Amino acid sequence: MLLTIWRGFTAWRRGRPFWAGLFVAGGALIILFPPFVGVKLGDMVISIRTIGGVSALLIGALLAICAAALWLQPKFRLASGLVAVLLSLVALVVTNLGGFLAGTILSLLGGALAVAWTDEPRKPKEAKGSKKARREDAEPEPEPETTQRVQPT
């Protein structure tokens, strides 16, 4: 039973940019985290309550939507990847260094993976000494020249 579930998940994962969506989702969570969570160090509470909190909410939510789109609609991977890259660059300036650089880097990596992803299977590589590789490296035989007849007008 568990093996069947794992095989189903693997088949689902291979049909979409899974790792790109995971990196973008991780970046979104890291960008959302600092403005809304107060860190307590002894008696001191560190809290970031500025306009960066509103920006972090907006950018983090949009990055989470991009991650969901990458997983649920892989045909939109190019648009979602480009939006994730642009949002992560905007987050660097607007939201506390984009989640202290970690959120920006994860989102940039995920967006780049989404843009580069393709669902076409890789072609197997031929060994260097195989007959097919030697045939492809050899110069192609010239085709016989055909002459074109010009009709008098």
Side-chain angles (χ1 to χ4, degrees), residues 67-114:
L70 288 171
W71 285 336
L72 301 176
Q73 293 292 328
K75 62 184 174 187
F76 297 128
R77 58 128 181 123
L78 186 62
S80 294
L82 290 174
V83 169
V85 167
L86 292 175
L87 284 173
S88 63
L89 291 175
V90 169
L92 182 64
V93 177
V94 177
T95 62
N96 305 315
L97 285 177
F100 303 112
L101 292 178
T104 294
I105 290 172
L106 281 176
S107 297
L108 277 174
L109 180 63
L113 285 173

